[in-house]
């Protein structure tokens, strides 16, 4: 898949489901629930046991339905391993310019983590077409509104602390892409194999982001 196709998929759906430390036996149930709920982009974090095997198997089985990325990438070596496993984009919790360069070298998007305006601009100037601002929930929608004043040309992804109760507030200030973990992948529902609940939560997020803020 070309870089522009990956970017289009990310922007079209608006949600990246963050899969972290999930039991391998639950993976198919989770992915099918996300797909049925309307989610089309997922991120498997590198600190998940067997993360790259997950990515490799997911790409082979769900590659037509899901855009699959790797998260919690801290260095260029891990970035390259994730790409070889099949990751279509790379997400980091911090700003590492070498990770951005490695991802671009292999034709993949890097979505680096940043917080301050300086970090956001540095990431963008070094080749990131989307910058993840983390932790979004602690910073709040007003922070994004202020940052987007001078940096409105830089697409931001809000991650960390995004819930069904606040996601629309972030959208109203101009955020179009969200990384969502525990608020979407409910741990108790997963433990109980209640995948219908995961599907319902996914659908609620999709509906929330589909609302027209101009009305």
């Amino acid at each position: 898949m070309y870089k522009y196709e990956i970017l289009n998929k990310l922007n079209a759906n608006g949600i990246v489901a963050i899969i972290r430390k999930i039991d391998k036996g639950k993976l198919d149930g989770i992915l099918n629930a996300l797909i049925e709920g309307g989610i089309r982009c997922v991120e498997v974090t590198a600190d998940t046991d067997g993360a790259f095997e997950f990515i490799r198997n997911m790409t082979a089985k769900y590659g037509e339905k899901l855009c699959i990325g790797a998260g919690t990438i801290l260095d260029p070596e891990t970035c390259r391993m994730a790409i070889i496993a099949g990751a279509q984009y790379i997400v980091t919790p911090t700003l590492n310019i070498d990770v951005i360069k490695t991802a671009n070298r292999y034709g993949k998007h890097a979505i680096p983590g940043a917080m301050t305006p300086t970090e956001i601009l540095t990431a963008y100037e070094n080749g990131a077409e989307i910058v993840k601002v983390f932790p979004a929930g602690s910073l709040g929608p007003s922070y994004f509104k202020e940052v987007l004043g001078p940096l409105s040309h830089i697409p931001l992804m809000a991650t960390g602390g995004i819930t069904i109760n606040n996601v629309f507030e972030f959208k109203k200030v101009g955020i179009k892409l969200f990384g969502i973990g525990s608020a979407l992948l409910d741990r108790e529902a997963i433990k109980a194999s209640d995948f219908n609940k995961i599907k319902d939560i996914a659908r609620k997020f999709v509906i929330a982001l589909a609302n027209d803020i101009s009305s």
Side-chain angles (χ1 to χ4, degrees):
M1 189 180 296
Y2 293 109
K3 279 185 73 175
Y4 76 89
E5 293 177 300
I6 296 169
L7 188 62
N8 287 344
K9 282 183 176 290
L10 289 166
N11 288 328
N13 197 215
I15 296 172
V16 176
I18 302 171
I19 298 175
R20 182 185 301 277
K21 298 181 179 179
I22 296 295
D23 182 342
K24 181 178 181 180
K26 308 280 188 177
L27 189 61
D28 283 317
I30 292 168
L31 294 179
N32 284 313
L34 292 173
I35 291 167
E36 290 173 14
I39 304 295
R40 295 292 178 267
C41 300
V42 299
E43 164 196 333
V44 178
T45 65
D47 57 354
T48 298
D49 287 341
F52 299 142
E53 180 186 358
F54 275 16
I55 291 170
R56 189 174 294 109
N57 293 339
M58 287 167 61
T59 300
K61 190 170 183 178
Y62 297 97
E64 296 295 318
K65 298 179 179 179
L66 291 171
C67 189
I68 300 162
T72 315
I73 301 298
L74 300 176
D75 53 70
E77 293 79 14
T78 308
C79 175
R80 184 173 182 273
M81 290 170 61
I83 291 169
I84 290 172
Q88 295 171 315
Y89 55 95
I90 299 296
V91 186
T92 77
T94 57
L95 176 57
N96 185 313
I97 292 171
D98 288 334
V99 171
I100 300 173
K101 291 179 178 179
T102 299
N104 283 330
R105 184 178 299 126
Y106 289 97
K108 305 300 179 183
H109 285 287
I111 307 176
M115 187 175 76
T116 68
T118 299
E119 290 175 337
I120 293 168
L121 183 59
T122 299
Y124 186 73
E125 288 180 337
N126 281 277
E129 295 183 60
I130 301 171
V131 180
K132 179 178 99 172
V133 178
F134 171 86
S138 298
L139 296 168
S142 61
Y143 181 84
F144 284 77
K145 182 179 180 180
E146 296 295 335
V147 167
L148 285 172
L151 301 178
S152 60
H153 59 293
I154 302 178
L156 303 180
M157 179 171 80
T159 303
I162 300 299
T163 70
I164 197 66
N165 296 319
N166 67 20
V167 66
F168 192 65
E169 295 305 311
F170 284 91
K171 181 181 178 181
K172 285 198 296 185
V173 301
I175 303 304
K176 299 178 180 178
L177 183 60
F178 300 86
I180 307 175
S182 58
L184 173 57
L185 298 173
D186 183 276
R187 289 283 176 180
E188 291 304 314
I190 292 171
K191 185 177 179 180
S193 297
D194 186 359
F195 302 119
N196 281 328
K197 184 174 182 179
I198 302 298
K199 178 180 69 176
D200 290 342
I201 296 172
R203 186 170 292 149
K204 287 178 181 177
F205 271 107
V206 170
I207 291 171
L209 290 182
N211 288 333
D212 184 0
I213 62 174
S214 65
S215 59

